[in-house]
């Protein structure tokens, strides 16, 4: 079985975190014996995807592939225009829900166009992969499997990491913002900042920490050194950082988005809160006052190991070809 993966996001030396979950998925599929290649679409804006049609056609002419697997909606349309080979598209969340500003306000035309293009594409594929049940319901296509991105449990696991090892002060408590402030408006970093201003009134030494363009090994160290993870996104599919935090037994405070509520509902010390600064701050204060790691987070995400997720994707490929 030969599969060509198509993506506009893939790790680089300048940005080792960009699309890293796609790379780990590709590598885990290769370990199952699947012959995989990656066509990384280069450039910026819509031009990247238009030029990508020729890049995919060139790749398909150079080797025989059984399946093309595209990641994100725009890459999916690029692949669909480039080849008639069976197409699998992984829909992530932002590609379906559209863009919003830093306070979670959507432009109507953008929201409608992303939803429309995603749904149309989902009917023009051999199979679709949605990262959460909510995302699958939004797409509406019957040929959709719910398969979250896997977690590299060789990197993300509970261990003692002193704060000073990652450049944090030992006499402070640290809350990690789940995402890069530069990743786009939907992460709603200003909402996290507004909530944290309230936290500092009762806990002046508390610090809000952001991670940008960090390799996975470094992210894992921060997750083991920090005291809490905070997620304030306007929308998500199945955020990887939440599953990675669970694997490190790090308490989580999140708005009700994607599949986060399902992931953390069993854990004492984790909270789902309304997306208002007061409620977010109250939950963060509770976590910091409790001062304990989670119990059983690593075990709970075992089902999302890279190997197990890869086998589920392999089953999708086999059904397409059978």
């Amino acid at each position: 079985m030969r599969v060509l993966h198509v993506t506009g996001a893939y790790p680089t030396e300048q940005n080792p975190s960009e699309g890293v979950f796609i790379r780990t998925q590709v590598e885990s599929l290769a370990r199952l014996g699947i012959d995989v290649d990656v066509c990384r679409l280069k450039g910026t804006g819509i031009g990247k995807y238009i030029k990508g049609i020729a890049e995919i056609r060139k790749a398909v002419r150079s080797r025989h592939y059984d399946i093309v697997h595209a990641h994100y909606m725009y890459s999916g349309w690029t692949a669909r225009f480039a080849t008639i080979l069976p197409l699998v598209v992984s829909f992530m969340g932002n590609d379906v829900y559209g863009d919003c500003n830093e306070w979670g306000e959507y432009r109507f035309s953008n929201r409608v166009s992303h939803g429309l293009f995603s749904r149309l594409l989902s009917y023009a594929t051999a199979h679709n992969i949605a990262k959460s049940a909510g995302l699958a319901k939004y797409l509406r296509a019957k040929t959709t499997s719910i398969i979250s991105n896997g977690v590299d449990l060789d990197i993300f696991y509970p261990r003692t990491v002193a704060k000073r090892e990652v450049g944090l002060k030992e006499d402070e408590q640290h809350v990690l913002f789940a995402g890069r402030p530069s990743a786009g408006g939907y992460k709603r970093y200003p909402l996290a900042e507004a909530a944290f201003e309230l936290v500092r009134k009762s806990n002046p030494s508390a610090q809000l920490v952001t991670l940008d363009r960090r390799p996975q090994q470094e992210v894992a160290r921060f997750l083991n050194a920090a005291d809490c993870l905070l997620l304030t996104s306007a929308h998500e599919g199945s955020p990887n950082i939440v599953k990675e935090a669970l694997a490190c037994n790090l308490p989580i405070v999140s708005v009700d988005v994607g599949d986060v509520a399902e992931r953390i509902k069993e854990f004492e010390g984790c909270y789902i809160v309304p997306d208002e600064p007061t409620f977010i701050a109250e939950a963060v204060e509770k976590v910091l006052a409790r001062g304990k790691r989670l119990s059983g987070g690593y075990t709970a995400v075992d089902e999302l190991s890279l190997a197990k997720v890869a086998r589920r994707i392999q089953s999708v490929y086999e059904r397409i070809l059978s």
Side-chain angles (χ1 to χ4, degrees):
M1 185 191 303
R2 287 179 179 169
V3 181
L4 177 65
H5 286 256
V6 177
T7 177
Y10 213 68
T12 63
E13 185 176 341
Q14 294 74 25
N15 189 356
S17 64
E18 183 184 16
V20 66
F21 55 90
I22 298 173
R23 186 194 68 194
T24 55
Q25 186 175 108
V26 168
E27 292 171 347
S28 62
L29 290 168
R31 285 193 288 271
L32 293 180
I34 299 173
D35 190 349
V36 290
D37 290 326
V38 176
C39 179
R40 181 178 182 272
L41 307 179
K42 301 179 180 63
T44 58
I46 194 65
K48 170 167 69 173
Y49 300 101
I50 295 174
K51 291 188 298 182
I53 296 173
E55 295 174 27
I56 296 171
R57 287 176 177 170
K58 180 179 179 181
V60 169
R61 286 195 301 267
S62 66
R63 291 192 77 187
H64 168 76
Y65 292 102
D66 300 294
I67 291 172
V68 175
H69 185 164
H71 301 266
Y72 291 100
M73 178 262 290
Y74 282 125
S75 295
W77 275 116
T78 301
R80 185 71 294 165
F81 282 120
T83 179
I84 60 172
L85 286 171
L87 175 64
V88 175
V89 176
S90 287
F91 292 93
M92 306 295 185
N94 196 39
D95 52 340
V96 177
Y97 297 126
D99 299 320
C100 61
N101 64 21
E102 291 185 329
W103 290 102
E105 298 168 336
Y106 293 86
R107 284 187 293 113
F108 178 77
S109 59
N110 183 274
R111 186 72 182 265
V112 170
S113 63
H114 275 71
L116 176 62
F117 290 149
S118 295
R119 286 171 181 159
L120 286 174
L121 177 60
S122 70
Y123 286 99
T125 64
H127 203 87
N128 307 295
I129 293 174
K131 300 304 174 179
S132 66
L135 196 56
K137 184 178 180 180
Y138 191 89
L139 289 170
R140 299 178 184 172
K142 294 181 179 179
T143 54
T144 301
S145 295
I146 302 167
I147 306 177
S148 298
N149 293 321
V151 180
D152 191 336
L153 298 179
D154 291 329
I155 294 177
F156 296 96
Y157 60 90
R159 60 191 187 274
T160 301
V161 176
K163 291 179 180 289
R164 64 178 180 276
E165 293 181 40
V166 292
L168 303 177
K169 294 182 179 180
E170 296 286 352
D171 59 349
E172 296 176 342
Q173 289 183 298
H174 299 90
V175 176
L176 289 184
F177 175 69
R180 307 190 315 272
S182 61
Y186 79 99
K187 293 294 184 180
R188 295 197 293 188
Y189 182 63
L191 177 57
E193 284 188 310
F196 215 73
E197 285 302 313
L198 300 177
V199 172
R200 286 198 184 95
K201 290 182 179 180
S202 61
N203 190 343
S205 67
Q207 300 295 325
L208 184 62
V209 180
T210 63
L211 299 179
D212 200 353
R213 298 173 182 261
R214 306 266 188 164
Q216 283 192 309
Q217 291 83 353
E218 194 167 341
V219 172
R221 292 171 64 210
F222 270 94
L223 291 173
N224 276 289
D227 302 284
C228 179
L229 181 80
L230 176 60
L231 182 74
T232 56
S233 300
H235 61 251
E236 292 280 358
S238 178
N240 298 309
I241 192 68
V242 167
K243 293 170 285 188
E244 293 162 355
L246 286 176
C248 296
N249 286 336
L250 179 65
I252 298 162
V253 173
S254 176
V255 297
D256 190 2
V257 66
D259 64 354
V260 181
E262 176 187 350
R263 297 287 174 201
I264 71 175
K265 63 183 178 182
E266 300 177 3
F267 295 99
E268 182 181 0
C270 289
Y271 297 90
I272 294 292
V273 294
D275 53 354
E276 296 179 9
T278 300
F279 293 106
I280 296 170
E282 288 176 355
V284 170
E285 288 167 0
K286 289 178 182 178
V287 171
L288 297 182
R290 183 172 182 265
K292 295 181 180 179
R293 308 293 291 188
L294 300 180
S295 175
Y298 181 82
T299 304
V301 296
D302 179 69
E303 65 176 35
L304 297 173
S305 69
L306 292 179
K308 290 181 179 179
V309 170
R311 283 194 287 270
R312 294 187 65 193
I313 296 172
Q314 182 184 39
S315 295
V316 169
Y317 294 163
E318 290 171 346
R319 288 201 301 273
I320 291 171
L321 297 178
S322 64

